[in-house]
């Protein structure tokens, strides 16, 4: 079955609330050997997030032994996609609450993985960064169309420690993703101004994979698969629709390969 963990309030958008397991039994989750948290991106409401992540879980056929947790967080806003510049803070607040949930309810020996889309990558990486010093075991981080900076996996001030804290961090990227190509740099620049330089501006990891900045390269645990431009894979070509497209099916194959530990994940 798929568990559902909810960090949302009753309304659109924030605030982030402590996690509530609204589907599935907590005692069953606590004894699972492998737990994978599925995370949607921003501009996704509760109903859409729940339905999309449950479909995602149904396609993860290669990891039937994993407890799959659809994780809902308030990355949406009445302004729709224009809210991106302020959603990073909600992602970080969600990461803190998810870290608390894991710390309180899971054993340190539990093998924890993540499969994410868009800004959900920020939530996952921040959780790993927060909990790795406490001895938790993180196996796979599958980051699809990741809306974090392209150099962040090599930056000690961002997510280098998180990438080092996994057995593998697998990045799936597309240069045909117009959201990451145009909206991400613009939103990141505004976010940097909005928070007085506390945020960085740049290109997205999910656009062209990890890049080196100031001689800081991503650690060896990071692998990168670049989708061919001829596939024309956009930002919505990852999590499956009710009738998945070929690109969405390929993304599901990639996620299955990553989470099952396949040496070379495929995007067929």
């Amino acid at each position: 079955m798929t568990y559902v963990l909810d960090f949302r309030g009753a309304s659109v958008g924030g605030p982030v609330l402590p996690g509530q397991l609204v589907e599935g039994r907590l005692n069953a989750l606590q004894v699972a050997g492998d737990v994978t948290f599925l995370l949607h991106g921003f501009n996704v409401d509760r109903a859409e997030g729940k339905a999309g992540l449950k479909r995602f879980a149904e396609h993860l056929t290669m990891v039937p032994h994993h407890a799959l947790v659809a994780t809902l967080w308030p990355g949406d806003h009445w302004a729709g996609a224009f809210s991106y510049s302020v959603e990073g803070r909600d992602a970080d607040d969600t990461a803190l609450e998810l870290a608390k949930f894991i710390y309180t309810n899971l054993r340190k020996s539990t093998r924890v993985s993540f499969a994410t889309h868009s800004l959900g990558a920020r939530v996952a990486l921040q959780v790993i960064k927060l909990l790795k010093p406490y001895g938790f075991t993180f196996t796979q981080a599958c980051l699809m169309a990741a809306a974090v900076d392209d150099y962040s996996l090599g930056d000690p001030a961002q997510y280098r420690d998180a990438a080092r804290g996994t057995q593998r961090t697998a990045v799936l990227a597309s240069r045909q993703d117009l959201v990451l190509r145009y909206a991400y740099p613009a939103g990141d620049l505004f976010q940097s101004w909005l928070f007085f330089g506390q945020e960085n501006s740049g290109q997205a990891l999910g656009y062209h994979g990890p890049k080196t900045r100031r001689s800081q390269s991503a650690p060896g645990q990071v692998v990168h698969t670049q989708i061919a431009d001829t596939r024309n894979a956009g930002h919505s070509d990852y999590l499956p629709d009710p009738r998945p497209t070929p690109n969405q099916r390929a993304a599901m194959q990639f996620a299955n390969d990553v989470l099952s530990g396949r040496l070379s994940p495929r995007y067929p």
Side-chain angles (χ1 to χ4, degrees):
M1 67 162 295
T2 302
Y3 299 81
V4 178
L5 179 61
D6 197 339
F7 293 93
R8 301 180 58 103
S11 61
V12 172
V16 176
L17 301 180
Q20 296 291 323
L21 195 66
V22 295
E23 292 189 20
R25 293 185 295 112
L26 181 58
N27 60 350
L29 182 63
Q30 289 173 321
V31 299
D34 293 272
V35 177
T36 296
F37 292 92
L38 311 178
L39 285 151
H40 59 73
F42 89 107
N43 196 29
V44 177
D45 64 23
R46 176 185 271 114
E48 181 184 354
K50 182 178 178 180
L53 292 178
K54 280 197 162 187
R55 288 194 299 267
F56 187 5
E58 290 171 359
H59 285 267
L60 294 177
T61 57
M62 291 174 61
V63 287
H65 60 287
H66 283 219
L68 302 174
V69 184
T71 306
L72 311 178
W73 64 282
D76 56 342
H77 192 272
W78 64 266
F82 294 103
S83 71
Y84 167 74
S85 297
V86 297
E87 296 304 341
R89 295 304 172 93
D90 280 343
D92 290 344
D93 289 346
T94 302
L96 180 59
E97 292 299 333
L98 179 52
K100 290 178 182 178
F101 179 88
I102 294 171
Y103 185 89
T104 302
N105 294 293
L106 298 187
R107 300 167 297 174
K108 292 182 180 179
S109 59
T110 302
R111 295 175 294 274
V112 178
S113 295
F114 295 92
T116 74
H117 178 244
S118 191
L119 197 57
R122 178 164 173 162
V123 179
L125 291 167
Q126 189 71 10
V127 169
I128 299 168
K129 183 177 178 179
L130 289 169
L131 287 182
K132 190 60 182 177
Y134 294 94
F136 282 86
T137 303
F138 296 101
T139 52
Q140 309 292 331
C142 176
L143 310 180
M144 301 185 294
V148 296
D149 290 328
D150 53 8
Y151 58 84
S152 62
L153 298 185
D155 186 347
Q158 294 199 50
Y159 303 122
R160 185 179 68 182
D161 289 345
R164 283 180 172 174
T166 66
Q167 290 182 11
R168 176 173 59 184
T169 296
V171 176
L172 183 61
S174 172
R175 291 187 183 88
Q176 298 304 305
D177 186 332
L178 300 184
V179 171
L180 296 184
R181 182 177 182 180
Y182 296 114
Y184 180 86
D188 232 23
L189 183 62
F190 180 68
Q191 184 174 242
S192 178
W193 172 82
L194 188 65
F195 295 111
F196 305 101
Q198 297 177 44
E199 298 281 349
N200 296 293
S201 60
Q203 274 286 6
L205 179 67
Y207 176 65
H208 53 198
K211 298 299 177 182
T212 297
R213 185 192 194 203
R214 302 188 187 121
S215 300
Q216 298 169 346
S217 57
Q221 292 95 323
V222 176
V223 298
H224 164 220
T225 297
Q226 189 69 36
I227 301 172
D229 290 350
T230 54
R231 295 293 291 266
N232 197 31
H235 204 61
S236 62
D237 285 331
Y238 294 90
L239 299 189
D241 292 331
R243 299 182 64 180
T245 66
N247 283 348
Q248 290 170 348
R249 289 188 180 279
M252 293 302 95
Q253 180 65 63
F254 178 84
N256 267 295
D257 283 356
V258 172
L259 296 173
S260 63
R262 185 183 177 95
L263 187 60
S264 299
R266 298 162 293 169
Y267 182 88

